[in-house]
Amino acid sequence: MTAYNWENNASNAGMDYGPNHEDWYMVPGGVTPPGKPATTITDFVNGNNAIGSESLIPLQMAGYVSADGNCNCVVTITGAADAPASFWKGVSFVKGSAFADPPVPTDKWAYMDELMHYLGAHLGYSTSGGAKYYDLDNEPALWSSTHPLDHPTSVLCAEVSSKGISLATVITQYDPGAQILGPVAYGWGEYVDNSSAPDTIVLGPYINGNSIQYLNYYLHQFGAASTLTGRRLLHDLDLHWYPEALGNNGVSMTRITLDDTSQGVAIARMQAPRSLWDPSYTESSWITWGTGGPITLIPRLQNAVNNYYPGTKLSFTEYQYGAGEDISGGIAEADALGIFSKYGVMASWWPDGSVNDAYLAAAFRFYLNYDGANSKFGDTSIAANYSLAASVTYTSIYAAKDNSHPNRINVIILNKDYGANHNAAVTLNNLLGGQTISSITAYRFDTGSSIIYNPATLTHTTNTFADLLPFRSATLYQIILSVPFPTSTPTSGGSASTPTNTPTLTPSNSPTKTPTATPTRTPTISPTSSPTKTPTSTPTLSTTQPQA
């Protein structure tokens, strides 16, 4: 929406969707163009409100927006925008005169403060039915390539931060409850130096060895501006994450975000979420060739926040791991969602164009509707670790309890091994007095089924159980306790607190025969975005290798 004109819903995708710059009206289905002002936004927000979802709206700051969706022309792809004239309107953050409702269609500007005023009058603000989240445009470092008429020159570091600060100031002036997200960076190249921006000299004081000096600079600029303004102007450091990790398909090294499901690429895909956090994992990619070691993306970003603008949260408003139609894509997604939840990161999966993302949908259902009756993974994390560090290569584990079901614990265990089953033994530590396991129901998807099914009934003791994890599988264990936990209030943002007496997990690595999967039910929720609640301190889970 970089060139979206809210006054008449005209837009221009530049080079993002083909070789030509073509104007069209971005109106919802069933609306006769051009529709009412901001129809694209109001219809989107109202639709999300109807299903209980929050809305994220990108606002424009590149410089120009499409003037008329009726252009029916292919505008030359060379040269700058023709100034505010026949094909384009300029973007101005502050009108400086009385607002008009509806806006004046014959002037040469689209005003962002007038838009905020209009949204407040016709939709409401964040606390009264309006959008809660606002992106400061989209992928600024790519403007000169995706929108060369709108912004023909490489964007400056100082330009992105100063325009962002101005726009954030306007948004929060009209809607103090709005959450501002930026810089909406496309990937690692933008994190480092705004894609070799012409003014990278300004990044000198922010080179500290973490390799993301542009984000250091951006955070510091917003922190300083927020101090001057007297209110927070950036709530989330917002990035896009399309992993660059490579796997060998037998012919060449192939990026995991493609839909290659050969063994080497599938293995790399299932390992790739480790780059979000794991200091022991170095993926094969041009990023690690530059860093010389693990990416540890989320801890790296959290350290930058702590150093340059404390209190800023993290979000990935575009990400994906590819091959949602394959079990490797489902396992990678389930792993990523667990990591995002553990670290308190807000995230939104972005479609990769596949027509059948059945395994990806299963991963989302594990967290949002694993039993077809809208049961969710939980809202309060329980610490769960491995007793053998090497287990992280083949296994991931996440655990949570849910305040709406205080006698329930859910545990997700992933077997990322391509061809070997693994045995896992689980122990619940530090239960309250009188608490024991009453029952366990398992839910699973694996190589045989993208439909979540119930495997064989498990036996258990008062606080332990064991299970066979089929190769390339995801299993959720719904554990019902005899005595409920006291309810607590989950918090939003930041990283999860660490409970005392942290439990451990050690799956064994002995290959065994894979059980046959029998599908029993099909959940109905479609994947939208990942859980965002940050857990608080709770009782703990422990799993350990069975002993003779």
Side-chain angles (χ1 to χ4, degrees):
M1 294 180 70
T2 291
Y4 168 72
N5 179 357
W6 73 271
E7 294 184 343
N8 63 4
N9 301 295
S11 193
N12 186 306
M15 303 289 284
D16 248 355
Y17 295 98
N20 299 315
H21 293 65
E22 297 181 355
D23 294 324
W24 80 100
Y25 284 114
M26 187 187 289
V27 294
V31 175
T32 301
K36 295 181 180 180
T39 293
T40 303
I41 297 174
T42 57
D43 186 82
F44 176 72
V45 174
N46 286 330
N48 288 335
N49 288 345
I51 60 173
S53 296
E54 300 289 356
S55 298
L56 168 64
I57 306 297
L59 294 191
Q60 294 66 47
M61 66 182 204
Y64 298 93
V65 295
S66 177
D68 188 349
N70 274 330
C71 177
N72 294 322
C73 60
V74 178
V75 184
T76 174
I77 62 171
T78 60
D82 61 342
S86 55
F87 298 144
W88 301 91
K89 280 194 171 191
V91 172
S92 178
F93 301 132
V94 178
K95 185 173 184 179
S97 60
F99 297 140
D101 186 355
V104 178
T106 55
D107 64 16
K108 296 181 177 181
W109 299 93
Y111 299 104
M112 294 296 103
D113 60 348
E114 192 167 49
L115 167 61
M116 291 302 299
H117 178 267
Y118 182 90
L119 292 177
H122 293 267
L123 185 66
Y125 290 123
S126 58
T127 58
S128 56
K132 180 177 180 179
Y133 300 99
Y134 289 88
D135 258 339
L136 300 177
D137 213 295
N138 183 61
E139 301 181 338
L142 297 181
W143 285 343
S144 62
S145 58
T146 58
H147 294 78
L149 291 183
D150 198 333
H151 198 291
T153 59
S154 297
V155 71
L156 302 176
C157 301
E159 177 188 358
V160 177
S161 63
S162 63
K163 283 184 173 180
I165 288 166
S166 296
L167 182 53
T169 301
V170 167
I171 296 169
T172 55
Q173 175 185 346
Y174 286 88
D175 187 353
Q179 303 290 293
I180 310 301
L181 285 64
V184 203
Y186 75 85
W188 189 263
E190 193 164 353
Y191 306 172
V192 175
D193 58 7
N194 200 22
S195 289
S196 303
D199 64 339
T200 52
I201 190 172
V202 303
L203 305 181
Y206 303 93
I207 298 174
N208 64 6
N210 71 355
S211 300
I212 51 173
Q213 52 265 25
Y214 172 63
L215 297 183
N216 298 339
Y217 165 85
Y218 187 88
L219 287 163
H220 184 261
Q221 300 307 305
F222 269 83
S226 297
T227 299
L228 290 174
T229 307
R231 61 181 181 272
R232 178 170 278 275
L233 297 178
L234 184 72
H235 299 86
D236 282 60
L237 181 66
D238 184 30
L239 310 172
H240 294 170
W241 182 243
Y242 296 96
E244 300 283 351
L246 304 174
N248 192 334
N249 66 6
V251 177
S252 62
M253 298 296 288
T254 300
R255 191 175 178 187
I256 65 162
T257 51
L258 303 176
D259 278 345
D260 189 319
T261 59
S262 60
Q263 179 173 339
V265 179
I267 290 172
R269 179 176 296 114
M270 291 186 289
Q271 294 296 315
R274 294 172 63 188
S275 285
L276 292 171
W277 68 274
D278 188 355
S280 70
Y281 177 68
T282 302
E283 67 180 34
S284 177
S285 73
W286 64 266
I287 296 176
T288 58
W289 301 338
T291 60
I295 295 174
T296 54
L297 182 60
I298 293 174
R300 187 185 299 261
L301 296 171
Q302 288 178 333
N303 286 337
V305 164
N306 292 339
N307 287 331
Y308 295 102
Y309 194 8
T312 306
K313 294 169 288 188
L314 300 180
S315 60
F316 296 103
T317 51
E318 289 185 23
Y319 79 92
Q320 54 114 327
Y321 285 83
E325 76 284 3
D326 183 68
I327 182 64
S328 66
I331 288 175
E333 182 62 36
D335 208 2
L337 291 175
I339 294 164
F340 293 149
S341 182
K342 178 180 179 179
Y343 283 92
V345 175
M346 182 170 68
S348 177
W349 172 81
W350 195 256
D352 63 357
S354 298
V355 296
N356 179 24
D357 283 328
Y359 277 103
L360 179 130
F364 272 92
R365 289 173 184 136
F366 252 34
Y367 290 88
L368 299 175
N369 184 18
Y370 59 81
D371 61 355
N374 295 318
S375 292
K376 296 175 175 57
F377 177 55
D379 55 23
T380 305
S381 180
I382 295 174
N385 297 309
Y386 311 92
S387 61
L388 290 179
S391 298
V392 71
T393 301
Y394 298 113
T395 311
S396 294
I397 179 169
Y398 305 100
K401 69 184 186 73
D402 188 340
N403 280 305
S404 61
H405 300 278
N407 67 330
R408 179 190 298 175
I409 289 175
N410 287 327
V411 179
I412 290 175
I413 304 180
L414 309 177
N415 182 0
K416 299 176 285 187
D417 197 312
Y418 192 86
N421 301 339
H422 291 268
N423 292 303
V426 181
T427 302
L428 275 64
N429 293 328
N430 305 313
L431 294 175
L432 300 177
Q435 276 187 330
T436 60
I437 297 175
S438 292
S439 65
I440 300 175
T441 305
Y443 300 84
R444 176 173 291 157
F445 65 88
D446 54 26
T447 56
S449 178
S450 61
I451 298 173
I452 297 173
Y453 69 95
N454 299 112
T457 301
L458 298 175
T459 59
H460 60 84
T461 69
T462 57
N463 71 328
T464 69
F465 68 92
D467 195 18
L468 173 73
L469 306 176
F471 62 82
R472 282 177 285 157
S473 69
T475 308
L476 183 148
Y477 303 96
Q478 182 192 79
I479 304 169
I480 304 300
L481 300 174
S482 59
V483 177
F485 293 111
T487 56
S488 59
T489 303
T491 58
S492 179
S495 58
S497 59
T498 303
T500 58
N501 300 320
T502 303
T504 57
L505 165 70
T506 307
S508 67
N509 294 329
S510 55
T512 55
K513 184 178 179 180
T514 305
T516 301
T518 304
T520 58
R521 56 171 61 88
T522 306
T524 56
I525 280 187
S526 299
T528 52
S529 61
S530 66
T532 60
K533 293 283 188 183
T534 299
T536 56
S537 180
T538 68
T540 62
L541 166 77
S542 173
T543 64
T544 183
Q545 186 173 351
Q547 298 180 6

